[in-house]
PDB file of all heavy atoms in Angstrom:
ATOM      1  N   ILE A1289     -37.748  52.174  40.341  1.00 94.00           N
ATOM      2  CA  ILE A1289     -38.429  50.887  40.155  1.00 94.00           C
ATOM      3  C   ILE A1289     -37.809  49.796  41.024  1.00 94.00           C
ATOM      4  O   ILE A1289     -36.582  49.681  41.107  1.00 94.00           O
ATOM      5  CB  ILE A1289     -38.321  50.454  38.668  1.00 94.00           C
ATOM      6  CG1 ILE A1289     -38.972  51.498  37.760  1.00 94.00           C
ATOM      7  CG2 ILE A1289     -38.937  49.071  38.441  1.00 94.00           C
ATOM      8  CD1 ILE A1289     -38.414  51.517  36.355  1.00 94.00           C
ATOM      9  N   GLU A1290     -38.664  49.003  41.666  1.00 94.00           N
ATOM     10  CA  GLU A1290     -38.184  47.770  42.292  1.00 94.00           C
ATOM     11  C   GLU A1290     -38.476  46.633  41.330  1.00 94.00           C
ATOM     12  O   GLU A1290     -39.562  46.555  40.760  1.00 94.00           O
ATOM     13  CB  GLU A1290     -38.911  47.520  43.616  1.00 94.00           C
ATOM     14  CG  GLU A1290     -38.409  48.392  44.743  1.00 94.00           C
ATOM     15  CD  GLU A1290     -39.244  48.187  46.016  1.00 94.00           C
ATOM     16  OE1 GLU A1290     -39.623  47.032  46.303  1.00 94.00           O
ATOM     17  OE2 GLU A1290     -39.528  49.195  46.684  1.00 94.00           O
ATOM     18  N   TRP A1291     -37.514  45.769  41.165  1.00 97.00           N
ATOM     19  CA  TRP A1291     -37.657  44.695  40.187  1.00 97.00           C
ATOM     20  C   TRP A1291     -37.020  43.428  40.759  1.00 97.00           C
ATOM     21  O   TRP A1291     -36.280  43.473  41.751  1.00 97.00           O
ATOM     22  CB  TRP A1291     -36.958  45.070  38.871  1.00 97.00           C
ATOM     23  CG  TRP A1291     -35.517  45.405  39.095  1.00 97.00           C
ATOM     24  CD1 TRP A1291     -34.999  46.623  39.401  1.00 97.00           C
ATOM     25  CD2 TRP A1291     -34.422  44.489  39.155  1.00 97.00           C
ATOM     26  NE1 TRP A1291     -33.655  46.527  39.632  1.00 97.00           N
ATOM     27  CE2 TRP A1291     -33.277  45.226  39.479  1.00 97.00           C
ATOM     28  CE3 TRP A1291     -34.319  43.102  38.952  1.00 97.00           C
ATOM     29  CZ2 TRP A1291     -32.021  44.635  39.614  1.00 97.00           C
ATOM     30  CZ3 TRP A1291     -33.068  42.508  39.084  1.00 97.00           C
ATOM     31  CH2 TRP A1291     -31.931  43.287  39.412  1.00 97.00           C
ATOM     32  N   ALA A1292     -37.319  42.308  40.121  1.00 97.00           N
ATOM     33  CA  ALA A1292     -36.702  41.048  40.546  1.00 97.00           C
ATOM     34  C   ALA A1292     -36.486  40.144  39.348  1.00 97.00           C
ATOM     35  O   ALA A1292     -37.112  40.314  38.300  1.00 97.00           O
ATOM     36  CB  ALA A1292     -37.592  40.344  41.570  1.00 97.00           C
ATOM     37  N   LEU A1293     -35.582  39.210  39.552  1.00 97.00           N
ATOM     38  CA  LEU A1293     -35.284  38.191  38.551  1.00 97.00           C
ATOM     39  C   LEU A1293     -35.760  36.881  39.167  1.00 97.00           C
ATOM     40  O   LEU A1293     -35.154  36.376  40.113  1.00 97.00           O
ATOM     41  CB  LEU A1293     -33.772  38.204  38.370  1.00 97.00           C
ATOM     42  CG  LEU A1293     -33.150  37.821  37.079  1.00 97.00           C
ATOM     43  CD1 LEU A1293     -31.838  38.575  36.956  1.00 97.00           C
ATOM     44  CD2 LEU A1293     -32.886  36.340  37.092  1.00 97.00           C
ATOM     45  N   ASP A1294     -36.888  36.381  38.674  1.00 96.00           N
ATOM     46  CA  ASP A1294     -37.603  35.284  39.339  1.00 96.00           C
ATOM     47  C   ASP A1294     -37.051  33.933  38.901  1.00 96.00           C
ATOM     48  O   ASP A1294     -37.039  33.618  37.722  1.00 96.00           O
ATOM     49  CB  ASP A1294     -39.091  35.400  38.993  1.00 96.00           C
ATOM     50  CG  ASP A1294     -39.945  34.490  39.842  1.00 96.00           C
ATOM     51  OD1 ASP A1294     -39.503  33.354  40.146  1.00 96.00           O
ATOM     52  OD2 ASP A1294     -41.055  34.920  40.210  1.00 96.00           O
ATOM     53  N   ARG A1295     -36.640  33.124  39.882  1.00 93.00           N
ATOM     54  CA  ARG A1295     -35.990  31.860  39.494  1.00 93.00           C
ATOM     55  C   ARG A1295     -36.992  30.823  38.981  1.00 93.00           C
ATOM     56  O   ARG A1295     -36.596  29.810  38.423  1.00 93.00           O
ATOM     57  CB  ARG A1295     -35.134  31.308  40.632  1.00 93.00           C
ATOM     58  CG  ARG A1295     -35.867  30.811  41.839  1.00 93.00           C
ATOM     59  CD  ARG A1295     -34.898  30.102  42.794  1.00 93.00           C
ATOM     60  NE  ARG A1295     -34.352  31.019  43.793  1.00 93.00           N
ATOM     61  CZ  ARG A1295     -33.068  31.116  44.091  1.00 93.00           C
ATOM     62  NH1 ARG A1295     -32.190  30.363  43.455  1.00 93.00           N
ATOM     63  NH2 ARG A1295     -32.654  31.942  45.008  1.00 93.00           N
ATOM     64  N   ASP A1296     -38.283  31.051  39.156  1.00 93.00           N
ATOM     65  CA  ASP A1296     -39.277  30.072  38.704  1.00 93.00           C
ATOM     66  C   ASP A1296     -39.703  30.283  37.257  1.00 93.00           C
ATOM     67  O   ASP A1296     -40.492  29.499  36.723  1.00 93.00           O
ATOM     68  CB  ASP A1296     -40.539  30.131  39.582  1.00 93.00           C
ATOM     69  CG  ASP A1296     -40.231  29.842  41.040  1.00 93.00           C
ATOM     70  OD1 ASP A1296     -39.260  29.096  41.292  1.00 93.00           O
ATOM     71  OD2 ASP A1296     -40.942  30.370  41.911  1.00 93.00           O
ATOM     72  N   LEU A1297     -39.244  31.372  36.652  1.00 93.00           N
ATOM     73  CA  LEU A1297     -39.728  31.687  35.299  1.00 93.00           C
ATOM     74  C   LEU A1297     -38.559  31.693  34.320  1.00 93.00           C
ATOM     75  O   LEU A1297     -37.425  31.958  34.702  1.00 93.00           O
ATOM     76  CB  LEU A1297     -40.398  33.067  35.299  1.00 93.00           C
ATOM     77  CG  LEU A1297     -41.654  33.195  36.171  1.00 93.00           C
ATOM     78  CD1 LEU A1297     -42.056  34.647  36.319  1.00 93.00           C
ATOM     79  CD2 LEU A1297     -42.791  32.369  35.604  1.00 93.00           C
ATOM     80  N   PRO A1298     -38.841  31.412  33.043  1.00 93.00           N
ATOM     81  CA  PRO A1298     -37.758  31.394  32.045  1.00 93.00           C
ATOM     82  C   PRO A1298     -37.357  32.816  31.636  1.00 93.00           C
ATOM     83  O   PRO A1298     -38.192  33.719  31.661  1.00 93.00           O
ATOM     84  CB  PRO A1298     -38.382  30.656  30.859  1.00 93.00           C
ATOM     85  CG  PRO A1298     -39.852  30.939  30.974  1.00 93.00           C
ATOM     86  CD  PRO A1298     -40.147  31.064  32.445  1.00 93.00           C
ATOM     87  N   PHE A1299     -36.078  33.000  31.261  1.00 93.00           N
ATOM     88  CA  PHE A1299     -35.608  34.283  30.741  1.00 93.00           C
ATOM     89  C   PHE A1299     -36.275  34.547  29.401  1.00 93.00           C
ATOM     90  O   PHE A1299     -36.394  33.633  28.605  1.00 93.00           O
ATOM     91  CB  PHE A1299     -34.078  34.230  30.572  1.00 93.00           C
ATOM     92  CG  PHE A1299     -33.490  35.522  30.086  1.00 93.00           C
ATOM     93  CD1 PHE A1299     -33.201  36.545  30.975  1.00 93.00           C
ATOM     94  CD2 PHE A1299     -33.233  35.713  28.726  1.00 93.00           C
ATOM     95  CE1 PHE A1299     -32.660  37.741  30.529  1.00 93.00           C
ATOM     96  CE2 PHE A1299     -32.694  36.909  28.284  1.00 93.00           C
ATOM     97  CZ  PHE A1299     -32.415  37.924  29.180  1.00 93.00           C
ATOM     98  N   PRO A1300     -36.721  35.725  29.064  1.00 92.00           N
ATOM     99  CA  PRO A1300     -36.658  36.956  29.852  1.00 92.00           C
ATOM    100  C   PRO A1300     -37.951  37.244  30.623  1.00 92.00           C
ATOM    101  O   PRO A1300     -38.091  38.305  31.203  1.00 92.00           O
ATOM    102  CB  PRO A1300     -36.459  38.023  28.776  1.00 92.00           C
ATOM    103  CG  PRO A1300     -37.201  37.494  27.584  1.00 92.00           C
ATOM    104  CD  PRO A1300     -37.192  35.985  27.687  1.00 92.00           C
ATOM    105  N   ARG A1301     -38.888  36.242  30.621  1.00 93.00           N
ATOM    106  CA  ARG A1301     -40.143  36.427  31.348  1.00 93.00           C
ATOM    107  C   ARG A1301     -39.881  36.621  32.847  1.00 93.00           C
ATOM    108  O   ARG A1301     -40.702  37.169  33.577  1.00 93.00           O
ATOM    109  CB  ARG A1301     -41.030  35.190  31.109  1.00 93.00           C
ATOM    110  CG  ARG A1301     -42.356  35.157  31.833  1.00 93.00           C
ATOM    111  CD  ARG A1301     -43.316  36.205  31.296  1.00 93.00           C
ATOM    112  NE  ARG A1301     -44.542  36.266  32.097  1.00 93.00           N
ATOM    113  CZ  ARG A1301     -44.684  36.974  33.203  1.00 93.00           C
ATOM    114  NH1 ARG A1301     -43.659  37.664  33.676  1.00 93.00           N
ATOM    115  NH2 ARG A1301     -45.826  37.014  33.865  1.00 93.00           N
ATOM    116  N   ASN A1302     -38.697  36.184  33.287  1.00 95.00           N
ATOM    117  CA  ASN A1302     -38.387  36.212  34.733  1.00 95.00           C
ATOM    118  C   ASN A1302     -38.019  37.604  35.254  1.00 95.00           C
ATOM    119  O   ASN A1302     -37.875  37.802  36.437  1.00 95.00           O
ATOM    120  CB  ASN A1302     -37.246  35.231  35.044  1.00 95.00           C
ATOM    121  CG  ASN A1302     -35.954  35.582  34.326  1.00 95.00           C
ATOM    122  OD1 ASN A1302     -35.979  36.299  33.326  1.00 95.00           O
ATOM    123  ND2 ASN A1302     -34.852  35.075  34.817  1.00 95.00           N
ATOM    124  N   ILE A1303     -37.813  38.563  34.338  1.00 97.00           N
ATOM    125  CA  ILE A1303     -37.458  39.913  34.788  1.00 97.00           C
ATOM    126  C   ILE A1303     -38.770  40.651  35.059  1.00 97.00           C
ATOM    127  O   ILE A1303     -39.483  40.998  34.117  1.00 97.00           O
ATOM    128  CB  ILE A1303     -36.667  40.664  33.693  1.00 97.00           C
ATOM    129  CG1 ILE A1303     -35.501  39.824  33.184  1.00 97.00           C
ATOM    130  CG2 ILE A1303     -36.234  42.048  34.190  1.00 97.00           C
ATOM    131  CD1 ILE A1303     -34.298  39.766  34.058  1.00 97.00           C
TER     132      ILE A1303
END
Side-chain angles (χ1 to χ4, degrees):
Chain A
I1289 300 154
E1290 283 175 39
W1291 56 272
L1293 209 151
D1294 191 323
R1295 69 172 92 228
D1296 300 331
L1297 297 168
F1299 182 83
R1301 177 69 186 85
N1302 62 339
I1303 309 283

